[in-house]
Amino acid sequence: MSTSAPALSVLDLVPVRTGQTSTQAVASSLALVARADELGYRRYWFAEHHNMPSVASTTPPVLVAAAAARSERIRVGSGGVMLPNHSPLVVAEQFAALEALAPGRIDLGIGRAPGSDPVITQLLRMSGTTSDVERFPEHVRDILSLVSPEGATVRYTSGGTYDVHATPAAEGAPEVWLLGSSDYSARLAASLGLPYVFANHFSGEGLDRALELYRGGYRASEAHPEPQTFLTINAVAAPTAEEAEARALPQLRMMARLRTGKALVALETVEQARAALAVEADVQTESVMAAARSRWLVGTGNEVRAQLTEFASRYAVDEVMISPVAGAFDGEPMDAALARVQTLELLAA
C-alpha cells in the first residue's frame, strides 16, 4: 500500500441553504467545478436526488453538460444516474452526447437505488419511461453496448437484426462505473469487469466486505483488465480546526434529520445550526451526528490531507472523491460556495 497522497476528486449534491435559490446554488457549484479544474482535481461528479429542499442535483446530465462547458481538463460525470428512474436508451443517448461535447472527459456512474422516496418513485414511473429494477444487470449491459462506437444489435424473434446506436458516429465512449452501498453492486461490477465505487460518504457500513467481494471476484474485461475503484468521503477543511467543526454542523444536522425521519429543510447556516442544537438537543439526534462525524474528515488542511492519505492507504486506493460538506456562515454570498472552495483549495495545497 502506498503512503503517497491520493489523487482527489469531487462529489457534488449541489446543496441549497436557507434563503438560497436553485439558480444561486447551481451557480455556486459551477464556480466550484471551475476551481476544481484549476486546482488539478481528477474528476467532478453530480449525484441524482429528487424532491429534497437542500439538494438541487436532480438531473446529472444537465449539470454535467454545464460543468463540461466551464472546465477544460477535469473529468465530469454522474455519481450517479439512478438507472431505475430512466430508460437505458435515453441514458445512453444523453451520455453519448456528453462524450461528443467533451471527448475523453465523461464518466457515467450508474446506481440501482431510486434516489428518492416512494412517492417520487411512483411519480417518475407515471410521468415518463423508466426501467425495471429487477433487470438492472441487463440494462447496464445494454448501456455499455449502446454507448460504444459499435452500438448494439436487436434480434427479431422472427429472424433478422436491427442496429441501434446512442449517437450516429461515436469516436469514443464515456467511462461507465457502477456505484452502490451493498454486496449486490460490488458483485455485479466484478462480474461485468467494470470500475466500481462504494458510497462510503453516505453510510460507510459494509465497505471492507464490498471491496473484498469486488476485488476477489473481479473478471477482467478488455477495457479494464484490473479492478478499478476509489472511495468517497465527506470532508471539511478550514484554516482552523474550530472553524472546520463549525462548518460541519449544518450537514451533520441534515444527516440527523434524514436518519431520524424528520421533515427535510433547506441547509441551515452555521449560526442556525448552533441555535437549533441549543434548543432541540435530543439523544437520538446527538447519537446520529456523533456517528456521522466519526466517519467524516474534518480539520485543518494539513490534518485532513494526512487523514486522506491514511484513508487511501488503508484501503489500497490511489484516488479519493471528497464530498465537500462545509456549511456557510450568515452573511456569506449566496452565489459563491466560499466554504466548499476553501476545502478544495486547502486539500490541494
Side-chain angles (χ1 to χ4, degrees), residues 121-136:
T121 299
Q122 186 62 27
L123 285 174
L124 287 166
R125 290 174 179 167
M126 291 170 60
S127 61
T129 304
T130 57
S131 59
D132 182 356
V133 68
E134 300 303 324
R135 297 175 62 193
F136 181 75

Side-chain angles (χ1 to χ4, degrees), residues 12-17 20-32 44 46 53-57 63 334-337 340:
D12 193 355
L13 277 65
V14 193
V16 182
R17 77 181 208 242
Q20 191 179 39
T21 67
S22 295
T23 298
Q24 291 169 327
V26 170
S28 297
S29 282
L30 292 180
L32 193 63
Y44 197 109
F46 292 98
S54 63
V55 175
S57 59
L63 295 169
M334 292 290 187
D335 57 354
R340 297 198 293 152

Side-chain angles (χ1 to χ4, degrees), residues 189-225:
S191 69
L192 296 177
L194 287 174
Y196 169 69
V197 180
F198 181 86
N200 181 69
H201 67 286
F202 186 71
S203 171
E205 299 294 330
L207 171 58
D208 293 273
R209 176 166 173 77
L211 291 182
E212 179 184 357
L213 288 171
Y214 174 63
R215 288 167 170 161
Y218 190 77
R219 298 177 185 174
S221 61
E222 183 177 350
H224 303 283

